[in-house]
Amino acid sequence: MAGDAYDYVVIGSGPAGQKAAIQAAKAGRRVALIERQREVGGACVHSGTIPSKALREKALQLTRARQAGNAFQLGIVASVPLSALLAGVEEIVAAHDRYMAAQLERNGIRCIRGRASFRSPTALDILRVDGTRLAIEGERILIAVGSRPRQPPELAVDHEHILDSDSILSLPYIPRSMVVLGSGVIACEYASIFAALGCAVTLIDKAAEPLGFLDPALRTGFLTAFQAMGGKYRGGVEVAGARFDGFSQVEVQLRGGEVLSADIVFAAFGRVANLEGIGLDRLQLAISSRGHVQVDEQYQTNIPGIFAAGDTIGPPALACAAADQGRRAALAALGLPPPAHTSLVPSGVYTIPEIACVGLSRSGAASKKIDVIVGRADFSEVARAHIAGEATGFLELLCDRSTARVLGCQAIGEGATDLVHLGQAAIATGATADFFIEQIFNFPTMTEAYRIAAFDVLKQRSVPHAAHLKLAHAAN
């Protein structure tokens, strides 16, 4: 059965799918985008990034109010409906949805609402939301179907007492106590948010420390802040199961016999690609043991003409990375030249406090045997941090010892996810630590941390430039 033919078909309208469709349309191709939900944007917009960061902002506001001696008490916060703390989010999401829909329309992209299923490597059947069916052909097809929370067999998520990241924001009130299972980004973000809201949070995982992909100093910084808010971390612990006791508590059984009780259990065991129901049984598509589509450096699968990007292919599972992958996948699929430069993907962890990294890490430098100098600026040395009442945290520059070229940047503290972008630009342009010494930045700003870290690099260099020795001495 033949159908409408397109040069490029995208399944999924999240960051990867949206950017891929727009890139193909701007290249003059006929493009169709298939989305099974009513809105475009995927989980990033509607149930993940935007709503969770909005709740985080409310938690920060309440924390600052308490620190300033405001009359807000924990008991009052606990009685506030979660929907009140998320007031305005629906309008934000709706506005973003309208913007994205208009962007697709003005680029001439046909947006088809429905569920797509492969009939062959170039043909798709679509069950539309009104129950009708549509057949289309695509010379090139991108799978960007996003992901959903991973459900381990030993845990029955009921979305009422045991929740995951799709249902955590549907809680009617802030619980008095919560056990969070997992120690990755989503687990730690929500654990710190609810701890800041006055909930007694216990974070549990097999790992010795949370956020194991980060350098030790960043992990320590997170744990210190989390514990200061009353949070607890139980590392080296395995969960055997969890069940609601029928009255008011959820009991979490640990291997070894110990039982923990809490009002709510939040399960955050990572995410798995939404590959069910799209007809992969009709294809010989290579899937990893973790349930992700396998691709090459051009985001092409083992089947010529079929590409994949975003959460569909696994980590880093960041919206910014997915958008870049989608754009590059479209260029590769259409035989267009790739961007001139390799994109640096920053990592942003929206815990309280924020954590951000880009480029080389300490552990990465050690594994690659790269000799680096790490220049550090504690936010206690930055005037703007004191003005904002956020004097904890730090920024680090990782520089090549022989040249002082900036290879990596990482920060922890409020504003870290914005601040790290200046380090990203320095890495991308091949700048050295001297750049931050020679430039003039507004004062007072958090950017001052770069000058402090750069002077620290200068002091540590084995053969520092004589002219800068005086500057380094004067800075201290």
Side-chain angles (χ1 to χ4, degrees):
M1 179 176 61
D4 293 344
Y6 296 88
D7 301 312
Y8 196 60
V9 176
V10 178
I11 308 174
S13 69
Q18 183 204 17
K19 293 299 185 291
I22 291 171
Q23 176 66 72
K26 288 189 180 298
R29 303 309 202 270
R30 189 166 185 238
V31 182
L33 185 147
I34 306 164
E35 173 54 57
R36 64 181 182 178
Q37 301 295 337
R38 183 181 64 180
E39 308 91 351
V40 295
C44 169
V45 174
H46 300 284
S47 62
T49 302
I50 290 180
S52 65
K53 277 51 179 181
L55 180 62
R56 180 187 183 277
E57 187 61 31
K58 292 292 185 181
L60 279 173
Q61 291 172 5
L62 293 172
T63 298
R64 289 164 181 160
R66 286 196 297 268
Q67 290 172 345
N70 192 288
F72 248 117
Q73 300 296 318
L74 292 182
I76 298 175
V77 176
S79 66
V80 173
L82 196 62
S83 58
L85 295 178
L86 290 171
V89 172
E90 289 185 2
E91 290 79 4
I92 295 171
V93 170
H96 197 63
D97 181 63
R98 289 192 298 271
Y99 160 74
M100 289 188 294
Q103 187 182 41
L104 295 173
E105 183 177 357
R106 69 173 176 264
N107 280 280
I109 297 166
R110 183 185 180 189
C111 190
I112 304 170
R113 311 287 179 164
R115 293 179 177 270
S117 177
F118 280 95
R119 185 159 35 90
S120 77
T122 59
L124 293 166
D125 288 325
I126 303 169
L127 176 61
R128 292 192 284 198
V129 292
D130 62 2
T132 61
R133 292 187 176 274
L134 176 69
I136 67 171
E137 302 277 339
E139 185 178 343
R140 298 287 186 270
I141 297 175
L142 175 72
I143 303 173
V145 291
S147 63
R148 65 183 185 279
R150 186 181 297 278
Q151 303 290 343
E154 68 272 12
L155 204 68
V157 174
D158 60 11
H159 302 294
E160 183 178 1
H161 308 290
I162 303 174
L163 302 101
D164 59 21
S165 55
D166 280 352
S167 53
I168 185 68
L169 295 180
S170 66
L171 279 170
Y173 293 95
I174 305 299
R176 294 167 301 175
S177 59
M178 176 185 291
V179 169
V180 178
L181 308 179
S183 66
V185 171
I186 295 173
C188 291
E189 286 183 351
Y190 276 112
S192 63
I193 289 170
F194 278 94
L197 289 170
C199 179
V201 181
T202 301
L203 193 58
I204 294 177
D205 196 58
K206 293 184 291 185
E209 290 184 317
L211 301 171
F213 64 95
L214 296 175
D215 279 345
L218 297 173
R219 299 199 301 266
T220 299
F222 165 75
L223 269 178
T224 299
F226 182 56
Q227 291 165 352
M229 293 186 293
K232 299 178 181 179
Y233 182 70
R234 295 279 304 273
V237 173
E238 290 192 51
V239 175
R243 68 175 186 85
F244 180 56
D245 67 5
F247 297 98
S248 63
Q249 297 286 285
V250 182
E251 296 178 343
V252 180
Q253 296 86 37
L254 306 182
R255 298 201 185 278
E258 185 180 357
V259 177
L260 302 178
S261 295
D263 293 347
I264 292 294
V265 167
F266 173 52
F269 294 107
R271 298 179 70 84
V272 62
N274 289 322
L275 298 178
E276 290 77 9
I278 65 170
L280 296 189
D281 54 326
R282 301 183 185 95
L283 308 175
Q284 297 298 315
L285 198 68
I287 306 295
S288 73
S289 60
R290 296 285 290 175
H292 299 122
V293 176
Q294 295 181 319
V295 296
D296 62 17
E297 65 278 1
Q298 292 188 315
Y299 301 100
Q300 185 165 219
T301 69
N302 61 305
I303 300 177
I306 298 181
F307 295 72
D311 284 12
T312 304
I313 64 174
L318 297 167
C320 60
D324 185 67
Q325 291 169 4
R327 181 173 67 100
R328 290 173 180 274
L331 292 171
L334 301 174
L336 300 173
H341 301 287
T342 300
S343 296
L344 282 166
V345 179
S347 295
V349 183
Y350 291 87
T351 46
I352 297 177
E354 291 179 2
I355 304 171
C357 310
V358 67
L360 193 68
S361 64
R362 285 174 180 259
S363 56
S367 65
K368 295 177 181 179
K369 295 182 171 53
I370 298 175
D371 190 10
V372 295
I373 295 174
V374 180
R376 176 168 167 140
D378 290 313
F379 288 172
S380 59
E381 303 175 69
V382 180
R384 183 60 178 268
H386 286 281
I387 293 170
E390 302 286 355
T392 57
F394 62 84
L395 177 138
E396 290 183 340
L397 286 177
L398 286 78
C399 299
D400 179 82
R401 182 174 294 276
S402 61
T403 65
R405 181 178 175 180
V406 181
L407 302 178
C409 178
Q410 51 192 27
I412 180 170
E414 284 315 302
T417 55
D418 285 311
L419 191 63
V420 76
H421 291 136
L422 183 55
Q424 179 181 359
I427 299 168
T429 57
T432 66
D434 297 58
F435 169 82
F436 297 108
I437 296 171
E438 295 164 355
Q439 298 304 309
I440 300 172
F441 300 114
N442 280 328
F443 178 86
T445 63
M446 292 302 296
T447 313
E448 183 186 0
Y450 278 97
R451 285 178 60 85
I452 297 169
F455 274 122
D456 191 26
V457 171
L458 193 64
K459 286 194 304 180
Q460 295 179 60
R461 290 191 65 189
S462 57
V463 187
H465 192 283
H468 283 156
L469 277 175
K470 295 178 182 179
L471 286 174
H473 179 73
N476 290 280

